[in-house]
């Protein structure tokens, strides 16, 4: 693995283009920018080096998603299909390339930049919403923006950073960026409560529990992060508890759809029942258009083959990552938190259709962590 003294200008350009895609995610033409970044990546980095193992799965998945979506008539717009499918592999290559080229310190900086930029749109959107409505909590769950995107769109972006609260619990004395991740986690939590978005809050709780078990006896200097996180949780609980309107809204949402996860479990059951009945995808459903699961929605739009390829990629990459021996490493743990957060959000949302940027970022971070594990262990 090549370790360089500083991030090169070419790589800063890749980060800049990537940041533009993340910041301008809501604007028209963002898929065009992603395609342009893919073309630039084709000439800037050795993309064929990563066309093996799980990288080959990404290639086969992208080809099958494009082909079967078009052939089955789910999406006959070739240009829009290219915009969604092509960046998948190139984003995977960008993450793999950074892991090959840089060591732990530089990768920590790159990861922090991406996480912060990815959250930036959510924070700015919610600040505008608070200014426009004059409410700290959006009781209608609608977000004031210049587009018609749903609140779930910005909620997905919060999930990536909200799980970073687990990092100080494990590597407080070793992580130089612990305060950065703590701040973005606080902002993500406030944004999630603002629009009553439960998924990021559930992911945060999941990753805090995971961090406690993972970090047992790894970093004994945990008094400060435990106190800070406890105070933060107490402050959030006090804020929510002192506002009867917020409590009633959460209770209304839970009483309406908690047992079915927002009707998702019904949709999942319906979709699983159609896996083999409709091996080339299906459109009609008695429970709604989206299945609200990245893998099952791929099956709905393109059939069994891309579904199996994407599921194999997710399972293989995740188990290859968690079986590595890089335990006492803050970068590895940070990317593990990110990977789990992505899987959790993709499990409950139709990512490729509603928010393809989220799918591309999942590919990027999976490629980055997988290559980092390959380069530092006998994986």
């Amino acid at each position: 693995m090549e370790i360089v003294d500083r991030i090169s200008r070419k790589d800063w350009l890749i980060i800049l283009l990537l940041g533009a895609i993340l910041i301008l995610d809501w604007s028209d033409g963002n898929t065009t920018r992603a395609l342009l970044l893919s073309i630039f990546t084709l000439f800037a980095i050795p993309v064929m080096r990563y066309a093996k193992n799980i990288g080959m799965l990404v290639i086969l998945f992208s080809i099958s998603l494009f082909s079967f979506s078009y052939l089955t008539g789910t999406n006959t717009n070739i240009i829009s299909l290219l915009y969604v499918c092509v960046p998948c592999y190139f984003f995977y290559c960008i993450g793999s390339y950074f892991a090959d080229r840089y060591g732990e310190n530089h990768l920590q900086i790159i990861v922090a930049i991406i996480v912060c930029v990815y959250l930036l749109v959510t924070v700015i959107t919610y600040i505008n919403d608070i200014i426009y409505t004059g409410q700290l909590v959006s009781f209608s769950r609608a977000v004031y923006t210049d587009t018609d995107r749903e609140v779930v769109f910005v909620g997905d972006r919060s999930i990536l950073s909200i799980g970073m609260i687990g990092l100080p619990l494990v590597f407080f004395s070793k992580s130089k960026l612990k305060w950065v991740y703590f701040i973005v986690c606080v902002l993500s939590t406030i944004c999630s409560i603002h629009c009553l978005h439960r998924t990021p809050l559930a992911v945060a709780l999941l990753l805090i529990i995971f961090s406690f078990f993972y970090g047992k006896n790894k970093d004994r200097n945990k008094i400060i992060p435990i106190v800070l996180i406890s105070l933060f949780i107490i402050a959030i609980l006090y804020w929510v508890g002192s506002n009867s309107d917020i409590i009633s809204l959460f209770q209304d949402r839970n009483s309406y759809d908690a047992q079915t996860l927002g009707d998702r479990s019904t949709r999942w059951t319906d979709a699983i029942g159609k896996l083999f009945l409709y091996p080339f995808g299906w459109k009609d459903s008695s429970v709604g258009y989206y299945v609200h699961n990245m893998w099952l929605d791929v099956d709905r739009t393109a059939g069994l083959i891309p579904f199996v390829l994407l599921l194999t990629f997710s399972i293989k990459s995740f188990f290859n990552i968690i079986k590595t021996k890089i335990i006492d490493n803050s970068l590895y743990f940070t990317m593990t938190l990110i990977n789990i957060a992505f899987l959790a959000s993709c499990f409950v949302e139709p990512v490729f259709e509603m928010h393809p940027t989220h799918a591309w970022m999942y590919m990027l971070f999976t490629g980055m962590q997988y290559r980092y594990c390959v380069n530092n262990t006998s994986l």
Side-chain angles (χ1 to χ4, degrees):
M1 179 179 63
E2 181 182 3
I3 303 296
V4 297
D5 293 333
R6 60 187 179 89
I7 300 175
S8 67
R9 293 181 179 177
K10 177 187 68 176
D11 297 342
W12 273 120
L13 180 57
I14 294 176
I15 296 173
L16 180 64
L17 292 173
L18 180 62
I21 292 172
L22 299 181
I23 292 175
L24 301 174
D25 202 2
W26 276 14
S27 62
D28 294 333
N30 199 49
T31 48
T32 303
R33 285 185 284 272
L35 195 58
L36 291 175
L37 174 59
S38 301
I39 295 173
F40 177 78
T41 303
L42 180 64
F43 296 98
I45 66 177
V47 294
M48 294 309 298
R49 177 188 298 176
Y50 310 112
K52 55 185 179 181
N53 208 316
I54 65 171
M56 180 56 66
L57 288 175
V58 179
I59 294 175
L60 295 176
F61 162 73
S62 301
I63 294 173
S64 63
L65 179 63
F66 174 87
S67 303
F68 287 104
S69 295
Y70 181 78
L71 293 174
T72 58
T74 303
N75 188 344
T76 56
N77 189 325
I78 294 180
I79 302 300
S80 68
L81 282 173
L82 285 174
Y83 284 156
V84 173
C85 298
V86 170
C88 288
Y89 178 67
F90 290 100
F91 273 66
Y92 172 84
C93 289
I94 290 173
S96 302
Y97 167 76
F98 283 147
D100 272 351
R101 185 163 175 79
Y102 297 106
E104 180 180 352
N105 292 334
H106 289 88
L107 277 179
Q108 284 277 24
I109 296 174
I110 293 173
V111 170
I113 290 173
I114 295 174
V115 169
C116 292
V117 172
Y118 201 51
L119 179 65
L120 183 63
V121 172
T122 299
V123 174
I124 293 176
T125 299
Y126 286 165
I127 289 175
N128 287 336
D129 190 48
I130 292 171
I131 294 174
Y132 179 76
T133 63
Q135 298 175 335
L136 289 176
V137 176
S138 176
F139 299 110
S140 65
R141 296 196 75 222
V143 180
Y144 169 70
T145 62
D146 294 330
T147 70
D148 58 355
R149 296 296 185 99
E150 295 184 8
V151 64
V152 173
F153 181 88
V154 286
D156 281 344
R157 303 174 73 97
S158 300
I159 289 175
L160 178 60
S161 52
I162 202 169
M164 294 301 100
I165 197 170
L167 183 67
L169 290 174
V170 181
F171 292 101
F172 182 78
S173 63
K174 298 180 181 179
S175 175
K176 298 179 181 179
L177 298 170
K178 51 185 173 289
W179 295 113
V180 174
Y181 288 129
F182 184 82
I183 291 171
V184 298
C185 180
V186 170
L187 292 174
S188 299
T189 304
I190 295 173
C191 289
S192 299
I193 294 177
H194 173 72
C195 273
L196 304 176
H197 200 259
R198 296 168 298 179
T199 304
L201 301 177
V203 170
L205 179 61
L206 171 67
L207 292 180
I208 287 175
I209 294 173
F210 170 78
S211 301
F212 269 114
F213 283 102
Y214 181 97
K216 188 177 182 181
N217 298 326
K218 285 185 175 59
D219 190 345
R220 300 182 183 278
N221 187 17
K222 295 182 181 178
I223 297 178
I224 295 178
I226 289 176
V227 170
L228 287 175
I229 292 172
S230 299
L231 290 174
F232 173 64
I233 294 174
I234 292 172
I236 291 295
L237 292 175
Y238 177 78
W239 175 41
V240 173
S242 61
N243 193 319
S244 58
D245 291 332
I246 299 178
I247 295 177
S248 62
L249 284 170
F250 269 111
Q251 289 175 341
D252 289 343
R253 293 205 66 210
N254 288 330
S255 62
Y256 171 72
D257 57 17
Q259 293 182 343
T260 59
L261 298 173
D263 200 38
R264 284 172 173 82
S265 61
T266 305
R267 296 170 187 244
W268 297 341
T269 302
D270 181 71
I272 291 173
K274 295 179 178 179
L275 277 174
F276 298 101
L277 289 177
Y278 303 96
F280 298 104
W282 47 276
K283 295 182 180 179
D284 299 327
S285 175
S286 59
V287 295
Y289 184 70
Y290 296 119
V291 181
H292 280 273
N293 178 282
M294 180 178 72
W295 300 271
L296 291 175
D297 272 302
V298 165
D299 175 73
R300 175 181 58 81
T301 58
L304 199 57
I305 293 178
F307 164 79
V308 171
L309 288 169
L310 181 60
L311 185 62
T312 303
F313 166 80
S314 299
I315 294 175
K316 185 176 177 62
S317 60
F318 183 72
F319 278 99
N320 280 342
I321 287 168
I322 63 175
K323 76 178 184 181
T324 59
K325 303 302 181 182
I326 311 178
I327 302 299
D328 193 22
N329 184 298
S330 61
L331 174 62
Y332 170 78
F333 182 69
T334 300
M335 292 192 290
T336 300
L337 292 175
I338 290 174
N339 195 292
I340 296 175
F342 267 118
L343 290 175
S345 62
C346 291
F347 198 83
V348 296
E349 300 299 345
V351 177
F352 279 96
E353 292 170 280
M354 284 289 293
H355 195 186
T357 304
H358 202 60
W360 302 334
M361 295 304 295
Y362 168 58
M363 298 292 180
L364 185 149
F365 277 109
T366 301
M368 181 183 293
Q369 186 172 17
Y370 181 79
R371 289 299 302 180
Y372 183 76
C373 293
V374 169
N375 292 335
N376 290 276
T377 67
S378 57
L379 183 63

